[in-house]
mmCIF file of all heavy atoms in Angstrom:
data_model
loop_
_atom_site.group_PDB
_atom_site.id
_atom_site.type_symbol
_atom_site.label_atom_id
_atom_site.label_comp_id
_atom_site.label_asym_id
_atom_site.label_seq_id
_atom_site.Cartn_x
_atom_site.Cartn_y
_atom_site.Cartn_z
ATOM 1 N N ASP A 445 -53.282 -138.458 58.517
ATOM 2 C CA ASP A 445 -53.638 -138.736 59.890
ATOM 3 C C ASP A 445 -55.108 -138.303 60.048
ATOM 4 O O ASP A 445 -55.718 -137.775 59.137
ATOM 5 C CB ASP A 445 -52.755 -137.979 60.866
ATOM 6 C CG ASP A 445 -51.346 -138.518 60.915
ATOM 7 O OD1 ASP A 445 -51.167 -139.697 60.573
ATOM 8 O OD2 ASP A 445 -50.414 -137.795 61.316
ATOM 9 N N TRP A 446 -55.646 -138.555 61.227
ATOM 10 C CA TRP A 446 -57.086 -138.266 61.439
ATOM 11 C C TRP A 446 -57.360 -136.779 61.520
ATOM 12 O O TRP A 446 -56.641 -136.025 62.150
ATOM 13 C CB TRP A 446 -57.563 -138.949 62.718
ATOM 14 C CG TRP A 446 -57.700 -140.426 62.585
ATOM 15 C CD1 TRP A 446 -56.804 -141.371 62.994
ATOM 16 C CD2 TRP A 446 -58.776 -141.130 61.984
ATOM 17 N NE1 TRP A 446 -57.241 -142.618 62.682
ATOM 18 C CE2 TRP A 446 -58.451 -142.533 62.064
ATOM 19 C CE3 TRP A 446 -59.979 -140.790 61.380
ATOM 20 C CZ2 TRP A 446 -59.288 -143.527 61.584
ATOM 21 C CZ3 TRP A 446 -60.800 -141.766 60.890
ATOM 22 C CH2 TRP A 446 -60.438 -143.127 60.982
ATOM 23 N N SER A 447 -58.445 -136.371 60.871
ATOM 24 C CA SER A 447 -59.041 -135.035 61.070
ATOM 25 C C SER A 447 -60.156 -135.209 62.071
ATOM 26 O O SER A 447 -61.149 -135.884 61.781
ATOM 27 C CB SER A 447 -59.567 -134.443 59.745
ATOM 28 O OG SER A 447 -58.566 -134.315 58.784
ATOM 29 N N LEU A 448 -59.999 -134.627 63.225
ATOM 30 C CA LEU A 448 -60.976 -134.814 64.297
ATOM 31 C C LEU A 448 -61.788 -133.537 64.518
ATOM 32 O O LEU A 448 -61.238 -132.423 64.580
ATOM 33 C CB LEU A 448 -60.255 -135.186 65.622
ATOM 34 C CG LEU A 448 -59.380 -136.446 65.563
ATOM 35 C CD1 LEU A 448 -58.688 -136.675 66.892
ATOM 36 C CD2 LEU A 448 -60.215 -137.655 65.162
ATOM 37 N N THR A 449 -63.109 -133.690 64.611
ATOM 38 C CA THR A 449 -63.980 -132.534 64.790
ATOM 39 C C THR A 449 -63.967 -132.093 66.240
ATOM 40 O O THR A 449 -63.999 -132.875 67.169
ATOM 41 C CB THR A 449 -65.436 -132.908 64.364
ATOM 42 O OG1 THR A 449 -65.436 -133.304 63.017
ATOM 43 C CG2 THR A 449 -66.395 -131.765 64.591
ATOM 44 N N ASP A 450 -63.919 -130.741 66.403
ATOM 45 C CA ASP A 450 -63.927 -130.160 67.756
ATOM 46 C C ASP A 450 -64.854 -128.934 67.763
ATOM 47 O O ASP A 450 -64.406 -127.792 67.845
ATOM 48 C CB ASP A 450 -62.516 -129.772 68.176
ATOM 49 C CG ASP A 450 -62.434 -129.271 69.599
ATOM 50 O OD1 ASP A 450 -63.403 -129.497 70.358
ATOM 51 O OD2 ASP A 450 -61.402 -128.678 69.987
ATOM 52 N N ASP A 451 -66.141 -129.206 67.590
ATOM 53 C CA ASP A 451 -67.163 -128.155 67.556
ATOM 54 C C ASP A 451 -67.987 -128.240 68.832
ATOM 55 O O ASP A 451 -67.995 -129.267 69.540
ATOM 56 C CB ASP A 451 -68.067 -128.289 66.347
ATOM 57 C CG ASP A 451 -67.319 -128.094 65.048
ATOM 58 O OD1 ASP A 451 -66.275 -127.416 65.059
ATOM 59 O OD2 ASP A 451 -67.788 -128.630 64.001
ATOM 60 N N ALA A 452 -68.738 -127.170 69.094
ATOM 61 C CA ALA A 452 -69.643 -127.178 70.232
ATOM 62 C C ALA A 452 -70.728 -128.236 70.030
ATOM 63 O O ALA A 452 -71.468 -128.187 69.049
ATOM 64 C CB ALA A 452 -70.284 -125.798 70.407
ATOM 65 N N GLY A 453 -70.776 -129.203 70.891
ATOM 66 C CA GLY A 453 -71.790 -130.250 70.812
ATOM 67 C C GLY A 453 -71.413 -131.401 69.887
ATOM 68 O O GLY A 453 -72.233 -132.357 69.769
ATOM 69 N N LEU A 454 -70.314 -131.344 69.212
ATOM 70 C CA LEU A 454 -69.904 -132.408 68.298
ATOM 71 C C LEU A 454 -68.371 -132.483 68.333
ATOM 72 O O LEU A 454 -67.674 -131.643 67.834
ATOM 73 C CB LEU A 454 -70.368 -132.103 66.875
ATOM 74 C CG LEU A 454 -70.113 -133.198 65.828
ATOM 75 C CD1 LEU A 454 -70.962 -134.437 66.107
ATOM 76 C CD2 LEU A 454 -70.416 -132.671 64.412
ATOM 77 N N ARG A 455 -67.870 -133.584 68.995
ATOM 78 C CA ARG A 455 -66.458 -133.630 69.238
ATOM 79 C C ARG A 455 -65.938 -135.065 69.223
ATOM 80 O O ARG A 455 -66.619 -135.986 69.622
ATOM 81 C CB ARG A 455 -66.151 -132.995 70.620
ATOM 82 C CG ARG A 455 -64.715 -132.983 71.057
ATOM 83 C CD ARG A 455 -64.510 -132.219 72.351
ATOM 84 N NE ARG A 455 -64.736 -130.793 72.124
ATOM 85 C CZ ARG A 455 -65.753 -130.085 72.558
ATOM 86 N NH1 ARG A 455 -66.747 -130.691 73.229
ATOM 87 N NH2 ARG A 455 -65.868 -128.803 72.317
ATOM 88 N N ALA A 456 -64.679 -135.219 68.754
ATOM 89 C CA ALA A 456 -63.964 -136.483 68.846
ATOM 90 C C ALA A 456 -62.563 -136.156 69.318
ATOM 91 O O ALA A 456 -61.930 -135.238 68.814
ATOM 92 C CB ALA A 456 -63.941 -137.214 67.526
ATOM 93 N N GLN A 457 -62.029 -136.931 70.250
ATOM 94 C CA GLN A 457 -60.690 -136.739 70.757
ATOM 95 C C GLN A 457 -60.085 -138.046 71.234
ATOM 96 O O GLN A 457 -60.840 -138.936 71.703
ATOM 97 C CB GLN A 457 -60.698 -135.701 71.893
ATOM 98 C CG GLN A 457 -61.488 -136.145 73.116
ATOM 99 C CD GLN A 457 -61.559 -135.078 74.165
ATOM 100 O OE1 GLN A 457 -61.284 -133.921 73.929
ATOM 101 N NE2 GLN A 457 -61.952 -135.461 75.378
ATOM 102 N N PRO A 458 -58.764 -138.181 71.149
ATOM 103 C CA PRO A 458 -58.161 -139.399 71.661
ATOM 104 C C PRO A 458 -58.401 -139.525 73.158
ATOM 105 O O PRO A 458 -58.422 -138.513 73.870
ATOM 106 C CB PRO A 458 -56.682 -139.224 71.329
ATOM 107 C CG PRO A 458 -56.645 -138.241 70.222
ATOM 108 C CD PRO A 458 -57.795 -137.336 70.480
ATOM 109 N N SER A 459 -58.578 -140.721 73.613
ATOM 110 C CA SER A 459 -58.728 -140.962 75.047
ATOM 111 C C SER A 459 -57.386 -140.678 75.777
ATOM 112 O O SER A 459 -56.327 -140.508 75.140
ATOM 113 C CB SER A 459 -59.122 -142.421 75.324
ATOM 114 O OG SER A 459 -58.126 -143.300 74.852
ATOM 115 N N LEU A 460 -57.434 -140.579 77.083
ATOM 116 C CA LEU A 460 -56.245 -140.238 77.826
ATOM 117 C C LEU A 460 -55.120 -141.243 77.624
ATOM 118 O O LEU A 460 -53.953 -140.910 77.585
ATOM 119 C CB LEU A 460 -56.569 -140.155 79.338
ATOM 120 C CG LEU A 460 -57.447 -138.976 79.751
ATOM 121 C CD1 LEU A 460 -57.786 -139.014 81.235
ATOM 122 C CD2 LEU A 460 -56.746 -137.644 79.420
ATOM 123 N N SER A 461 -55.504 -142.505 77.394
ATOM 124 C CA SER A 461 -54.520 -143.538 77.140
ATOM 125 C C SER A 461 -53.979 -143.480 75.753
ATOM 126 O O SER A 461 -52.926 -144.036 75.434
ATOM 127 C CB SER A 461 -55.117 -144.914 77.389
ATOM 128 O OG SER A 461 -56.115 -145.197 76.410
ATOM 129 N N GLY A 462 -54.666 -142.748 74.820
ATOM 130 C CA GLY A 462 -54.256 -142.684 73.439
ATOM 131 C C GLY A 462 -54.661 -143.891 72.617
ATOM 132 O O GLY A 462 -54.385 -143.968 71.429
ATOM 133 N N LYS A 463 -55.302 -144.867 73.252
ATOM 134 C CA LYS A 463 -55.627 -146.118 72.537
ATOM 135 C C LYS A 463 -57.034 -146.160 71.986
ATOM 136 O O LYS A 463 -57.398 -147.078 71.274
ATOM 137 C CB LYS A 463 -55.441 -147.324 73.506
ATOM 138 C CG LYS A 463 -53.970 -147.507 73.940
ATOM 139 C CD LYS A 463 -53.856 -148.669 74.888
ATOM 140 C CE LYS A 463 -52.385 -148.848 75.302
ATOM 141 N NZ LYS A 463 -52.242 -150.014 76.241
ATOM 142 N N GLY A 464 -57.831 -145.164 72.321
ATOM 143 C CA GLY A 464 -59.197 -145.126 71.823
ATOM 144 C C GLY A 464 -59.578 -143.704 71.381
ATOM 145 O O GLY A 464 -58.837 -142.746 71.596
ATOM 146 N N LEU A 465 -60.781 -143.594 70.746
ATOM 147 C CA LEU A 465 -61.298 -142.335 70.320
ATOM 148 C C LEU A 465 -62.601 -142.041 71.016
ATOM 149 O O LEU A 465 -63.554 -142.824 70.883
ATOM 150 C CB LEU A 465 -61.514 -142.324 68.803
ATOM 151 C CG LEU A 465 -61.998 -140.976 68.245
ATOM 152 C CD1 LEU A 465 -60.869 -139.952 68.226
ATOM 153 C CD2 LEU A 465 -62.563 -141.160 66.796
ATOM 154 N N GLU A 466 -62.641 -140.996 71.786
ATOM 155 C CA GLU A 466 -63.885 -140.619 72.527
ATOM 156 C C GLU A 466 -64.758 -139.763 71.632
ATOM 157 O O GLU A 466 -64.313 -138.767 71.064
ATOM 158 C CB GLU A 466 -63.511 -139.860 73.809
ATOM 159 C CG GLU A 466 -62.710 -140.689 74.805
ATOM 160 C CD GLU A 466 -62.285 -139.876 76.025
ATOM 161 O OE1 GLU A 466 -62.433 -138.640 75.964
ATOM 162 O OE2 GLU A 466 -61.783 -140.495 76.951
ATOM 163 N N ILE A 467 -66.008 -140.154 71.507
ATOM 164 C CA ILE A 467 -66.987 -139.424 70.682
ATOM 165 C C ILE A 467 -68.022 -138.833 71.590
ATOM 166 O O ILE A 467 -68.609 -139.534 72.436
ATOM 167 C CB ILE A 467 -67.657 -140.352 69.650
ATOM 168 C CG1 ILE A 467 -66.615 -140.902 68.681
ATOM 169 C CG2 ILE A 467 -68.759 -139.609 68.887
ATOM 170 C CD1 ILE A 467 -67.164 -141.959 67.733
ATOM 171 N N SER A 468 -68.288 -137.532 71.435
ATOM 172 C CA SER A 468 -69.277 -136.847 72.251
ATOM 173 C C SER A 468 -70.179 -135.984 71.362
ATOM 174 O O SER A 468 -69.703 -135.136 70.598
ATOM 175 C CB SER A 468 -68.562 -135.922 73.244
ATOM 176 O OG SER A 468 -69.484 -135.159 73.998
ATOM 177 N N VAL A 469 -71.478 -136.304 71.427
ATOM 178 C CA VAL A 469 -72.486 -135.571 70.614
ATOM 179 C C VAL A 469 -73.678 -135.204 71.503
ATOM 180 O O VAL A 469 -74.248 -136.064 72.137
ATOM 181 C CB VAL A 469 -72.987 -136.453 69.417
ATOM 182 C CG1 VAL A 469 -73.844 -135.613 68.496
ATOM 183 C CG2 VAL A 469 -71.821 -137.064 68.667
ATOM 184 N N LYS A 470 -73.987 -133.924 71.547
ATOM 185 C CA LYS A 470 -75.138 -133.469 72.304
ATOM 186 C C LYS A 470 -76.459 -133.609 71.477
ATOM 187 O O LYS A 470 -76.384 -133.636 70.264
ATOM 188 C CB LYS A 470 -74.941 -131.993 72.728
ATOM 189 C CG LYS A 470 -73.844 -131.806 73.723
ATOM 190 C CD LYS A 470 -73.735 -130.332 74.159
ATOM 191 C CE LYS A 470 -72.659 -130.146 75.233
ATOM 192 N NZ LYS A 470 -72.563 -128.731 75.638
ATOM 193 N N PRO A 471 -77.579 -133.744 72.169
ATOM 194 C CA PRO A 471 -78.839 -133.891 71.454
ATOM 195 C C PRO A 471 -79.084 -132.753 70.445
ATOM 196 O O PRO A 471 -78.828 -131.562 70.745
ATOM 197 C CB PRO A 471 -79.869 -133.817 72.577
ATOM 198 C CG PRO A 471 -79.152 -134.351 73.774
ATOM 199 C CD PRO A 471 -77.749 -133.858 73.648
ATOM 200 N N GLY A 472 -79.515 -133.132 69.257
ATOM 201 C CA GLY A 472 -79.754 -132.152 68.220
ATOM 202 C C GLY A 472 -78.557 -131.873 67.322
ATOM 203 O O GLY A 472 -78.671 -131.111 66.361
ATOM 204 N N LYS A 473 -77.423 -132.544 67.632
ATOM 205 C CA LYS A 473 -76.202 -132.338 66.848
ATOM 206 C C LYS A 473 -75.860 -133.617 66.067
ATOM 207 O O LYS A 473 -76.318 -134.705 66.419
ATOM 208 C CB LYS A 473 -75.046 -131.969 67.755
ATOM 209 C CG LYS A 473 -75.228 -130.652 68.503
ATOM 210 C CD LYS A 473 -75.151 -129.478 67.562
ATOM 211 C CE LYS A 473 -75.206 -128.162 68.354
ATOM 212 N NZ LYS A 473 -75.087 -126.994 67.478
ATOM 213 N N GLY A 474 -75.031 -133.512 65.049
ATOM 214 C CA GLY A 474 -74.597 -134.649 64.317
ATOM 215 C C GLY A 474 -73.713 -134.265 63.139
ATOM 216 O O GLY A 474 -73.690 -133.102 62.698
ATOM 217 N N GLY A 475 -72.955 -135.239 62.662
ATOM 218 C CA GLY A 475 -72.060 -135.002 61.523
ATOM 219 C C GLY A 475 -70.832 -135.881 61.570
ATOM 220 O O GLY A 475 -70.727 -136.793 62.379
ATOM 221 N N VAL A 476 -69.882 -135.602 60.727
ATOM 222 C CA VAL A 476 -68.610 -136.329 60.697
ATOM 223 C C VAL A 476 -67.788 -135.921 61.922
ATOM 224 O O VAL A 476 -67.564 -134.737 62.153
ATOM 225 C CB VAL A 476 -67.815 -136.050 59.410
ATOM 226 C CG1 VAL A 476 -66.478 -136.738 59.423
ATOM 227 C CG2 VAL A 476 -68.646 -136.462 58.163
ATOM 228 N N VAL A 477 -67.305 -136.911 62.656
ATOM 229 C CA VAL A 477 -66.465 -136.608 63.810
ATOM 230 C C VAL A 477 -65.018 -136.978 63.568
ATOM 231 O O VAL A 477 -64.113 -136.473 64.274
ATOM 232 C CB VAL A 477 -66.979 -137.331 65.078
ATOM 233 C CG1 VAL A 477 -68.333 -136.793 65.517
ATOM 234 C CG2 VAL A 477 -67.054 -138.848 64.853
ATOM 235 N N ALA A 478 -64.743 -137.846 62.614
ATOM 236 C CA ALA A 478 -63.358 -138.241 62.295
ATOM 237 C C ALA A 478 -63.276 -138.736 60.871
ATOM 238 O O ALA A 478 -64.195 -139.426 60.407
ATOM 239 C CB ALA A 478 -62.878 -139.292 63.259
ATOM 240 N N ARG A 479 -62.166 -138.410 60.180
ATOM 241 C CA ARG A 479 -61.943 -138.944 58.829
ATOM 242 C C ARG A 479 -60.465 -138.936 58.533
ATOM 243 O O ARG A 479 -59.711 -138.154 59.124
ATOM 244 C CB ARG A 479 -62.692 -138.110 57.788
ATOM 245 C CG ARG A 479 -62.291 -136.641 57.736
ATOM 246 C CD ARG A 479 -62.666 -136.031 56.381
ATOM 247 N NE ARG A 479 -64.052 -136.050 56.121
ATOM 248 C CZ ARG A 479 -64.887 -134.999 56.310
ATOM 249 N NH1 ARG A 479 -64.394 -133.881 56.785
ATOM 250 N NH2 ARG A 479 -66.156 -135.108 56.009
ATOM 251 N N ARG A 480 -60.057 -139.829 57.672
ATOM 252 C CA ARG A 480 -58.662 -139.853 57.186
ATOM 253 C C ARG A 480 -58.563 -140.560 55.848
ATOM 254 O O ARG A 480 -59.452 -141.350 55.491
ATOM 255 C CB ARG A 480 -57.751 -140.504 58.202
ATOM 256 C CG ARG A 480 -57.865 -141.985 58.267
ATOM 257 C CD ARG A 480 -56.784 -142.620 59.177
ATOM 258 N NE ARG A 480 -55.456 -142.474 58.623
ATOM 259 C CZ ARG A 480 -54.348 -142.999 59.222
ATOM 260 N NH1 ARG A 480 -54.470 -143.649 60.351
ATOM 261 N NH2 ARG A 480 -53.166 -142.845 58.659
ATOM 262 N N LEU A 481 -57.517 -140.276 55.118
ATOM 263 C CA LEU A 481 -57.202 -140.952 53.847
ATOM 264 C C LEU A 481 -56.177 -142.048 54.095
ATOM 265 O O LEU A 481 -55.242 -141.855 54.874
ATOM 266 C CB LEU A 481 -56.639 -139.964 52.846
ATOM 267 C CG LEU A 481 -57.593 -138.907 52.274
ATOM 268 C CD1 LEU A 481 -56.814 -137.967 51.359
ATOM 269 C CD2 LEU A 481 -58.777 -139.510 51.560
ATOM 270 N N ILE A 482 -56.346 -143.174 53.389
ATOM 271 C CA ILE A 482 -55.312 -144.215 53.392
ATOM 272 C C ILE A 482 -55.163 -144.711 51.943
ATOM 273 O O ILE A 482 -56.052 -144.508 51.096
ATOM 274 C CB ILE A 482 -55.659 -145.414 54.308
ATOM 275 C CG1 ILE A 482 -56.891 -146.148 53.773
ATOM 276 C CG2 ILE A 482 -55.852 -144.952 55.732
ATOM 277 C CD1 ILE A 482 -57.107 -147.492 54.465
ATOM 278 N N ARG A 483 -54.046 -145.339 51.682
ATOM 279 C CA ARG A 483 -53.852 -145.941 50.379
ATOM 280 C C ARG A 483 -54.861 -147.089 50.236
ATOM 281 O O ARG A 483 -55.101 -147.844 51.188
ATOM 282 C CB ARG A 483 -52.443 -146.495 50.191
ATOM 283 C CG ARG A 483 -52.174 -147.090 48.820
ATOM 284 C CD ARG A 483 -50.803 -147.671 48.736
ATOM 285 N NE ARG A 483 -49.787 -146.634 48.730
ATOM 286 C CZ ARG A 483 -49.423 -145.963 47.621
ATOM 287 N NH1 ARG A 483 -50.013 -146.196 46.471
ATOM 288 N NH2 ARG A 483 -48.467 -145.053 47.675
ATOM 289 N N ALA A 484 -55.526 -147.189 49.108
ATOM 290 C CA ALA A 484 -56.589 -148.200 48.914
ATOM 291 C C ALA A 484 -55.999 -149.588 49.014
ATOM 292 O O ALA A 484 -54.999 -149.908 48.335
ATOM 293 C CB ALA A 484 -57.251 -147.987 47.553
ATOM 294 N N PRO A 485 -56.539 -150.454 49.853
ATOM 295 C CA PRO A 485 -56.075 -151.821 49.944
ATOM 296 C C PRO A 485 -56.479 -152.626 48.710
ATOM 297 O O PRO A 485 -57.351 -152.253 47.953
ATOM 298 C CB PRO A 485 -56.833 -152.357 51.173
ATOM 299 C CG PRO A 485 -57.466 -151.193 51.836
ATOM 300 C CD PRO A 485 -57.646 -150.179 50.782
ATOM 301 N N ALA A 486 -55.796 -153.756 48.506
ATOM 302 C CA ALA A 486 -56.198 -154.653 47.463
ATOM 303 C C ALA A 486 -57.540 -155.269 47.820
ATOM 304 O O ALA A 486 -57.796 -155.593 49.008
ATOM 305 C CB ALA A 486 -55.139 -155.752 47.276
#
Side-chain angles (χ1 to χ4, degrees):
D445 287 338
W446 287 98
S447 299
L448 303 178
T449 300
D450 185 14
D451 295 336
L454 185 67
R455 179 173 291 108
Q457 62 184 15
S459 61
L460 292 177
S461 67
K463 295 180 180 180
L465 183 72
E466 296 175 351
I467 297 174
S468 175
V469 188
K470 291 184 177 179
K473 298 289 185 177
V476 176
V477 293
R479 59 159 64 98
R480 73 172 294 182
L481 292 177
I482 67 167
R483 184 183 288 278

